[in-house]
Amino acid sequence: MNPNHGSRLALGALILLSLIWGYNWVVMKQVMQYVDPFDFSALRTLLGAAALFGVLLARRGSLRPVAVVPTIWLGLVQTAGFTAVIQWALVNGGAGKTVVLVYAMPFWLLPMAWWLFGERVGRVQWIAVVLALIGLVFILEPWHAAGGSLFSDMLALSGSVLWAASSIMAKRMRQRFQVDLLSLTAWQMLFGALALSAVAWVLPSRPIEPTAYFFGALVFCAVAATGLAWLLWLFILDRLPAGLAGLSSLAVPAIGVLSAWLELGEQPSGSESVGMLFIGGALVVVSLLTLGTRTAAAPKAEAAVEEGEARCQAQR
């Protein structure tokens, strides 16, 4: 294949992937009309895990789990904890606002990597963290937030912290064990899905309304946003620089906000718009730094951001 043609296909795949992951937030919001958040989280992660194992079989990858106990812990944080809180946040929180808060993940990850691993975080990156924190204040509007809105915002922020923590956990695992990224994601999702299923079984919930939208949302989340998305992601990583592929972390929240605005009528307030611009600007800084340094000696914290991106994206 012509290298230029392959790059163009990969860029097209990156655009399609960003559209799928960005629009998925609207789907997750809309489906809350028909199902309890914990029930849906359990169902979508079980089917998502099945889709990932299907991708593994198609690629003839090994199905044997590595480092079972650490993988279980990763699944509890990354799949059970993260998926549950972001889906819960969408019960009362807007899809656009929630996706922006969740995508504040890199600004928790950078100081975590600095504190736990002693990894170098440059001055410009610290500026990006400060910009993101200012943006969070504008989005949260603690001077105006009502109880329900603030609770949803805190759940979304908790999701971003859990996403960052799971990236740190996976980084430690990959330092200690030789694990395949796709296999690790599939197994941790399965373990987390089983934990979510137990929680959904114990907690009281309203009956599922078996509407066409419910089943469509389930298929979209499991097949398109998980199985197909992983195939696209692996194709992209094989043909584009990792830094360029990581720019999806900038496109996804933008598409999520735009989709929520167009389909759900979620027009951000003036303060929320300012906050989103601050966080968007900070993401641009981090993404461009990553893109510019991957061909040189990229800081490990930036590599950790991309690793977390690759594993967690399919769960949204």
Side-chain angles (χ1 to χ4, degrees):
M1 179 184 293
N2 184 298
N4 291 331
H5 180 62
S7 295
R8 285 195 296 270
L9 284 176
L11 285 172
L14 181 60
I15 293 170
L16 176 59
L17 182 65
S18 299
L19 289 170
I20 291 172
W21 278 337
Y23 185 68
N24 195 38
W25 289 87
V26 171
V27 175
M28 291 192 298
K29 171 66 178 178
Q30 289 283 71
V31 79
M32 288 296 91
Q33 302 173 65
Y34 312 108
V35 63
D36 180 85
F38 294 101
D39 289 344
F40 186 70
S41 296
L43 288 170
R44 63 170 290 212
T45 52
L46 281 171
L47 290 178
L52 288 180
F53 280 110
V55 173
L56 266 176
L57 287 172
R59 296 179 69 237
R60 298 183 180 180
S62 173
L63 295 180
R64 183 175 178 273
V66 177
V68 173
V69 173
T71 303
I72 290 173
W73 281 109
L74 180 62
L76 292 176
V77 174
Q78 180 174 308
T79 292
F82 173 78
T83 307
V85 297
I86 64 170
Q87 196 68 57
W88 193 2
L90 287 167
V91 173
N92 293 312
K97 188 176 182 180
T98 300
V99 65
V100 172
L101 291 174
V102 170
Y103 270 77
M105 181 279 284
F107 311 111
W108 305 119
L109 179 56
L110 289 172
M112 281 184 184
W114 169 70
W115 179 48
L116 294 172
F117 296 116
E119 295 179 356
R120 180 174 63 84
V121 178
R123 182 183 302 174
V124 178
Q125 291 167 300
W126 282 122
I127 292 173
V129 171
V130 172
L131 288 175
L133 291 176
I134 294 171
L136 288 176
V137 172
F138 276 100
I139 290 176
L140 294 175
E141 296 182 274
W143 49 89
H144 288 152
S149 173
L150 184 59
F151 181 67
S152 295
D153 294 345
M154 290 298 103
L155 286 173
L157 276 179
S158 298
S160 71
V161 173
L162 287 171
W163 181 2
S166 69
S167 297
I168 294 292
M169 293 171 68
K171 181 177 178 61
R172 283 182 165 170
M173 282 187 65
R174 298 190 77 184
Q175 287 176 341
R176 296 174 56 196
F177 308 100
Q178 285 191 337
V179 292
D180 175 73
L181 186 60
L182 179 57
S183 176
L184 174 62
T185 304
W187 278 106
Q188 68 79 22
M189 187 176 287
L190 176 60
F191 291 136
L194 294 175
L196 275 173
S197 299
V199 171
W201 180 267
V202 171
L203 292 179
S205 61
R206 61 190 174 97
I208 295 173
E209 297 180 41
T211 63
Y213 192 93
F214 165 74
F215 288 111
L218 200 56
V219 170
F220 184 85
C221 288
V223 178
T226 302
L228 174 60
W230 259 99
L231 286 174
L232 290 171
W233 180 256
L234 294 170
F235 176 77
I236 290 163
L237 285 182
D238 188 47
R239 287 165 175 79
L240 290 180
L244 183 58
L247 289 180
S248 62
S249 64
L250 183 60
V252 171
I255 292 169
V257 170
L258 181 61
S259 300
W261 192 342
L262 294 176
E263 184 167 333
L264 306 180
E266 293 181 2
Q267 185 171 352
S269 67
S271 179
E272 288 173 348
S273 297
V274 171
M276 289 177 183
L277 286 174
F278 268 102
I279 292 178
L283 282 171
V284 168
V285 170
V286 171
S287 297
L288 291 179
L289 278 175
T290 302
L291 181 61
T293 56
R294 292 307 289 170
T295 56
K300 294 179 181 178
E302 292 168 0
V305 172
E306 291 176 7
E307 184 173 300
E309 171 86 11
R311 289 179 302 97
C312 271
Q313 284 279 23
Q315 292 176 223
R316 265 128 13 252

